[in-house]
Amino acid sequence: MKKYSFLIIVILLIQTLTAQQDTIPLTLSDAVRIALSESPTIKIANQEIARVDYSEKSAWYALIPKIDASAQHTKFLVPAKMNMMGQVMDSPTDFNSSLGLSISLPLFAPALWHSIQMSSLEMQVAQEKAKASRINLQYEVSKAYYNVLVIQDSYNVLQKGYELAEQNFNVAKKGHEAGVIAAYDYISAEVQLNNLIPTLLQAQNGIKQAKTYLKVLMGIEIQTPIAILSKLSDFENKILELRSIDVLSLEDNSDLKQLDIQQKQLQKSLQLQRTQRIPTLAAFGQTGYSGTGNKETTLNFGGMPIAVEASKEWYSQGFVVGLQLNVPLTGIFTNTLKEKQISIQEKQLVLQRENAKNGLRLQALSALDNMNKAVKQVGAARKSVN
């Protein structure tokens, strides 16, 4: 029995040590660092960059000479018929085969160059979106981390209030038992103490939920225990530093940069559309072999038997080179209408960017006002505590 008890104690100790080792201590910078490494949002953005990189490389491959090979073999299961001077006879042909090789190289194709430039702009968009994802994730993780600190401090305040209410209840209980305090005051103290319990439980659940949301943003398992190392008071001076930043400077704003790149894409799309009316020139070369096989048979030509021996013959088709010029003659009016559509989209994007810029400035001013309000509230609260 002692042996089993010892084993149980050892197992419990191992589980306790494992749980302690698995607990992740977190500062704000640690939370942001883990999120930027493990968050699915960042992984998706990185995969999108890799996808666009392959797309950009494939656009360059259009400038490489294109080589195509072809082969065909035809076997006659039923002899073909041939007509010779009114005589219909079975053809001795057994099979036909051909091999071909062709090479083409674009010499003048403006659409290809514009397509390559479009792929480059697409890569810029993907990189800017990835940057925006990192910035948004840092913002969300920071907000979730601060939320945990606020709820923890609120819980501490409630805990101190509960301890004070418990002391008042004990005093009222002793006074009531000694006949010094009335029963009404004793009951009121007990009611105040019991009323704080649901609030404490709600605050505990709030801490758990806030930590769970933080772990989701960080991309770690929900069951993984974390320990918040910072306190809300550690960031008291940070708001003063943020107030000194020029919030109206939008030069590095990722949303506006994406709109700028999208405008370049529309301009490049307009140039690409105009190339549909420009002739293209390409060089080509072709070579090949063809073969015919005859089976051994006898042809009946006017009652005279003609013996045909089995044979296989291959012929070279030679090697030819040349230039191919394509001049578009139709679709001019359709292309013109498409160009007008793209021009209108570009004008819409310019207006959209201006509207977004004004909205961002409004958000920045509102955030600055909220920070100033928070600083004043902290000062007023400190005076009230004193």
Side-chain angles (χ1 to χ4, degrees):
M1 188 70 181
K2 293 182 179 179
K3 180 179 179 181
Y4 291 120
S5 300
F6 177 74
L7 289 175
I8 293 174
I9 293 174
V10 171
I11 292 173
L12 292 175
L13 288 174
I14 293 174
Q15 291 178 347
T16 303
L17 292 174
T18 303
Q20 292 177 352
Q21 292 174 353
D22 291 341
T23 301
I24 302 177
L26 285 181
T27 62
L28 178 57
S29 58
D30 292 334
V32 172
R33 175 180 53 80
I34 295 175
L36 293 178
S37 174
E38 301 297 332
S39 175
T41 303
I42 302 302
K43 293 180 180 180
I44 292 173
N46 292 334
Q47 290 180 355
E48 177 65 14
I49 292 178
R51 184 194 68 81
V52 176
D53 182 58
Y54 285 122
S55 176
E56 185 178 10
K57 290 178 180 178
S58 65
W60 279 99
Y61 288 161
L63 299 177
I64 299 176
K66 182 180 179 181
I67 302 176
D68 294 322
S70 62
Q72 183 177 352
H73 178 76
T74 304
K75 174 72 175 179
F76 287 91
L77 299 180
V78 177
K81 302 295 183 179
M82 63 179 182
N83 192 334
M84 295 182 62
M85 302 179 64
Q87 296 285 334
V88 178
M89 297 172 292
D90 292 339
S91 173
T93 304
D94 184 35
F95 69 87
N96 287 325
S97 297
S98 63
L99 297 173
L101 183 67
S102 62
I103 302 175
S104 62
L105 174 65
L107 300 179
F108 180 76
L112 291 179
W113 292 105
H114 289 299
S115 298
I116 293 173
Q117 294 172 358
M118 286 283 289
S119 300
S120 177
L121 291 174
E122 187 179 0
M123 172 60 76
Q124 294 180 27
V125 171
Q127 292 174 344
E128 202 59 43
K129 286 183 177 180
K131 177 183 176 182
S133 298
R134 291 192 293 269
I135 293 174
N136 291 333
L137 184 62
Q138 290 178 13
Y139 166 73
E140 293 294 336
V141 170
S142 299
K143 187 170 68 172
Y145 191 90
Y146 290 142
N147 189 39
V148 173
L149 297 181
V150 170
I151 297 177
Q152 284 183 342
D153 281 8
S154 299
Y155 175 77
N156 293 333
V157 173
L158 290 173
Q159 184 68 32
K160 292 180 181 179
Y162 179 81
E163 293 174 357
L164 180 60
E166 189 176 19
Q167 293 176 5
N168 293 335
F169 169 72
N170 292 331
V171 171
K173 181 179 180 180
K174 292 179 181 178
H176 176 67
E177 292 174 350
V180 179
I181 297 179
Y184 173 80
D185 294 332
Y186 165 67
I187 295 174
S188 297
E190 184 178 10
V191 171
Q192 292 178 1
L193 179 64
N194 293 331
N195 287 340
L196 289 175
I197 294 178
T199 307
L200 279 174
L201 295 176
Q202 184 178 2
Q204 289 178 351
N205 291 332
I207 293 175
K208 183 178 179 181
Q209 293 175 0
K211 286 185 176 181
T212 300
Y213 180 63
L214 177 60
K215 286 185 280 189
V216 170
L217 290 175
M218 291 169 57
I220 62 177
E221 293 292 335
I222 297 178
Q223 293 80 9
T224 304
I226 59 175
I228 304 299
L229 301 182
S230 305
K231 297 180 180 178
L232 198 60
S233 57
D234 298 337
F235 302 93
E236 185 175 356
N237 295 327
K238 188 172 183 179
I239 192 172
L240 300 177
E241 299 175 2
L242 294 175
R243 293 169 64 195
S244 61
I245 299 176
D246 185 10
V247 297
L248 297 181
S249 177
L250 302 177
E251 295 181 359
D252 296 329
N253 185 268
S254 182
D255 293 336
L256 294 181
K257 285 186 176 180
Q258 291 183 47
L259 291 175
D260 292 337
I261 298 174
Q262 290 176 14
Q263 184 178 3
K264 293 180 181 179
Q265 284 180 316
L266 287 176
Q267 294 173 352
K268 191 57 63 177
S269 296
L270 182 59
Q271 296 176 3
L272 181 60
Q273 189 63 40
R274 288 171 178 169
T275 59
Q276 302 301 317
R277 296 180 288 178
I278 300 177
T280 58
L281 182 64
F284 69 90
Q286 293 178 347
T287 186
Y289 283 87
S290 61
T292 301
N294 293 329
K295 59 186 178 181
E296 183 178 354
T297 185
T298 300
L299 299 180
N300 186 7
F301 184 70
M304 296 176 60
I306 301 176
V308 179
E309 297 179 355
S311 62
K312 296 179 181 179
E313 297 180 357
W314 289 88
Y315 304 95
S316 173
Q317 298 177 358
F319 182 73
V320 296
V321 295
L323 297 176
Q324 182 177 6
L325 179 66
N326 290 327
V327 181
L329 299 178
T330 60
I332 296 178
F333 297 103
T334 303
N335 291 332
T336 302
L337 294 177
K338 290 182 179 179
E339 292 172 9
K340 291 182 179 180
Q341 293 177 16
I342 297 175
S343 298
I344 292 175
Q345 290 179 351
E346 183 182 355
K347 293 178 181 179
Q348 290 176 336
L349 190 63
V350 172
L351 297 175
Q352 181 181 351
R353 185 189 187 282
E354 188 64 25
N355 187 39
K357 187 177 181 179
N358 293 332
L360 290 171
R361 286 179 174 175
L362 179 61
Q363 293 178 11
L365 291 174
S366 177
L368 184 60
D369 291 339
N370 290 333
M371 285 191 291
N372 292 330
K373 180 181 177 181
V375 171
K376 294 179 181 179
Q377 286 178 341
V378 170
R382 186 176 284 110
K383 291 181 181 178
S384 299
V385 171
N386 292 334

